[in-house]
Amino acid sequence: MASKKKDPAARRARESARRAAAAQRIGPRPVRPPRPRQPKTLYDLKPPGVFYQDWERPIGADDDVMSKIDAAFGTESGEATTMRLMLDYRRFYGPNIPLGAAGHLDLILENTNLAEAMGVTQTETRDSVHSLHAQGLLLIADDGCLWLTVPPGTPYSAPNGQWAFVEKKSDAPRELAAGD
């Protein structure tokens, strides 16, 4: 007969009995809530089109980035203004910013009366539109028009996991249309 320490079946039985006794003393394990799904950023969704080819990623905390830019170029410089705008976009889009698309979206907002039509302030409209854009619910088509979209992988997306462009919300800004 094998000793107690070398018999694997006896060892498994002892371990099982120890776990059962501990479970009886302690009680059942608490049910853990499922981890919330991390929302996908616009960058993760890989939107199609020319406005979504170049992505900017400012590295560092907002204060650190701005202090470096201010020291190098000055507080009122064009570089500082651009960086403030990029850091503002970062609160909507996360670390990766579609700078061309976000700037174009601001042009669309400047050239439309969307805020008046909705009965809210210009700032609220801008925040809402950029938030929807960051979720992939609004996209800018290659011709510069703003479209209501359905991201791939959602119940109403186009077949084969493609983007669904549902409804045109705004034409291209006049500056872009005149430049073509």
Side-chain angles (χ1 to χ4, degrees):
M1 181 170 150
S3 71
K4 284 171 81 175
K5 291 188 178 183
K6 295 195 179 182
D7 185 10
R11 187 168 36 105
R12 283 194 299 269
R14 281 193 314 275
E15 184 62 27
S16 178
R18 186 192 65 76
R19 285 188 186 133
Q24 216 172 14
R25 279 191 321 270
I26 298 170
R29 284 188 167 177
V31 177
R32 290 186 181 182
R35 286 187 183 176
R37 290 182 55 198
Q38 292 295 328
K40 287 190 172 184
T41 63
L42 186 61
Y43 180 77
D44 296 332
L45 294 171
K46 297 177 178 61
V50 295
F51 288 97
Y52 302 99
Q53 291 178 354
D54 295 323
W55 296 80
E56 298 293 331
R57 184 180 177 112
I59 298 174
D62 292 359
D63 295 335
D64 295 337
V65 171
M66 280 312 300
S67 64
K68 289 176 186 175
I69 295 293
D70 290 344
F73 300 103
T75 315
E76 300 301 320
S77 66
E79 289 84 357
T81 304
T82 301
M83 187 54 69
R84 276 191 289 278
L85 186 61
M86 284 180 65
L87 295 176
D88 183 45
Y89 287 151
R90 185 159 71 174
R91 72 186 170 110
F92 298 112
Y93 298 100
N96 297 301
I97 303 165
L99 199 55
H104 188 79
L105 194 56
D106 280 341
L107 278 176
I108 290 173
L109 290 170
E110 288 173 13
N111 289 315
T112 62
N113 59 354
L114 197 56
E116 294 172 19
M118 294 173 53
V120 294
T121 66
Q122 189 71 20
T123 305
E124 291 172 330
T125 304
R126 182 179 182 273
D127 289 352
S128 297
V129 169
H130 277 290
S131 178
L132 291 170
H133 183 236
Q135 296 173 45
L137 300 174
L138 292 174
L139 284 187
I140 298 171
D142 287 346
D143 62 355
C145 297
L146 181 65
W147 283 80
L148 178 66
T149 57
V150 179
T154 57
Y156 297 109
S157 62
N160 301 325
Q162 299 296 317
W163 285 87
F165 285 76
V166 180
E167 180 184 351
K168 188 177 187 180
K169 289 295 182 184
S170 175
D171 290 324
R174 282 178 239 128
E175 291 86 15
L176 183 67
D180 289 340

